[in-house]
């Protein structure tokens, strides 16, 4: 292929698979162009017209900034749709967070996507058993930053056994008052929720839908939870600074 091509990969059990290859540009192209400061689409068009890549005298750049791309989802327009992600395309756009560090770039990306990260308040935690040990450092960090933790029974017991204070809160199926009530009443400022079984996925659906309607940030994967915790810490350590794109290339 001469010019740009869009390749979609899938990774399973450390094996990389190619799903499809299309000889065209993708939405990632303008993102990359802004991050590296090069007119990627323009160069590709001229290469397609016969010019050589070498003629542009491109050099490897050592960038001093980090860019995070965050998908934007229209879930607040579709109240009945579960926000849990699968392999199908659901996003309607994307935003970029740019800063000197990954943590602050992630915080900016969340803000751009409409997720205002809390700097205080209560965090609801309900993660599958396999994720409890992995989520523990993030929960500890949130407690250190002054957040209160509310967790479902299994998570609450695990945190207590590890010396991390938390309050037990009912799942929806366990009766009221439950977590959905707490979210609706403005008692929860952040939702951390990973699921494993069909029953827990169903139980978590109402939690995630309520979080969307109440504009409460939520994260449903461990990488997202870890990054969100780091972003909150970075935001508490220093205010978000807005800079022109050009400043990152001086």
């Amino acid at each position: 292929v001469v010019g740009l091509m869009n390749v979609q990969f899938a990774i399973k059990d450390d094996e990389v698979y190619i799903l499809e290859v299309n000889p065209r540009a993708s939405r990632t192209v303008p993102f990359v162009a802004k991050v590296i400061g090069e007119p990627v689409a323009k160069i590709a068009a001229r290469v397609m017209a016969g010019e050589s890549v070498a003629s542009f005298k491109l050099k490897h750049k050592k960038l001093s900034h980090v860019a995070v791309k965050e998908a934007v989802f229209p879930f607040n327009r579709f109240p009945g749709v579960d926000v849990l992600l699968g392999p199908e395309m659901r996003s309607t756009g994307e935003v970029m967070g740019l800063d000197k560090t990954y943590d602050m770039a992630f915080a900016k990306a969340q803000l751009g996507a409409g997720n205002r990260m809390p700097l205080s308040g209560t965090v609801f935690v309900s993660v599958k058993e396999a994720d409890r040990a992995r989520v523990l450092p993030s929960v500890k960090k949130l407690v250190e930053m002054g957040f209160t933790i509310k967790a479902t029974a299994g998570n609450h017991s695990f945190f207590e056994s590890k010396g991390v204070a938390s309050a037990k809160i009912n799942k929806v199926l366990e009766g009221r008052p439950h977590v959905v009530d707490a979210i609706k009443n403005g008692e929860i400022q952040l939702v951390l929720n990973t699921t494993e079984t069909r029953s827990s996925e169903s139980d978590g659906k109402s939690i995630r839908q309520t979080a969307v309607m109440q504009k409460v940030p939520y994260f449903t994967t461990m990488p997202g939870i870890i990054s969100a915790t780091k972003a909150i810490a970075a935001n508490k350590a220093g205010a978000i600074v807005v800079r022109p794109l050009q400043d990152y290339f001086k």
Side-chain angles (χ1 to χ4, degrees), residues 178-209:
H178 49 58
V179 59
V180 169
D181 293 330
I183 297 173
K184 287 180 178 178
N185 293 334
E187 300 168 13
I188 304 293
Q189 283 67 53
L190 180 65
V191 172
L192 309 180
N193 175 226
T194 67
T195 60
E196 188 169 34
T197 62
R198 285 191 175 276
S199 61
S200 63
E201 189 173 308
S202 175
D203 189 67
K205 182 177 180 179
S206 59
I207 295 172
R208 293 186 293 272
Q209 286 179 336

Side-chain angles (χ1 to χ4, degrees), residues 20-140:
E20 60 179 80
V21 181
N22 298 308
R24 60 172 175 80
S26 67
R27 295 192 304 189
T28 306
V29 172
F31 178 89
V32 172
K34 289 181 175 70
V35 174
I36 67 174
E38 294 287 352
V40 177
K42 181 179 179 180
I43 292 171
R46 290 173 63 177
V47 169
M48 290 171 71
E51 295 188 42
S52 67
V53 174
S55 67
F56 296 97
K57 297 182 172 57
L58 299 173
K59 295 180 180 179
H60 178 71
K61 292 182 178 180
K62 186 175 182 181
L63 303 176
S64 60
H65 57 269
V66 178
V68 173
K69 182 168 73 167
E70 180 61 278
V72 177
F73 299 99
F75 295 133
N76 58 343
R77 298 179 185 177
F78 305 100
V81 176
D82 190 1
V83 302
L84 195 65
L85 298 179
E88 67 277 356
M89 175 69 77
R90 290 191 178 186
S91 67
T92 53
E94 55 217 13
V95 295
M96 178 170 69
L98 199 64
D99 206 273
K100 296 293 184 181
T101 66
Y102 169 79
D103 299 350
M104 189 56 83
F106 188 88
K108 287 182 175 181
Q110 294 307 307
L111 188 60
N115 296 322
R116 189 170 290 276
M117 306 295 286
L119 300 182
S120 62
T122 300
V123 181
F124 168 70
V125 183
S126 178
V127 299
K128 60 188 180 184
E129 189 172 351
D131 287 338
R132 288 174 187 169
R134 294 177 65 200
V135 84
L136 187 62
S138 295
V139 173
K140 284 183 176 179

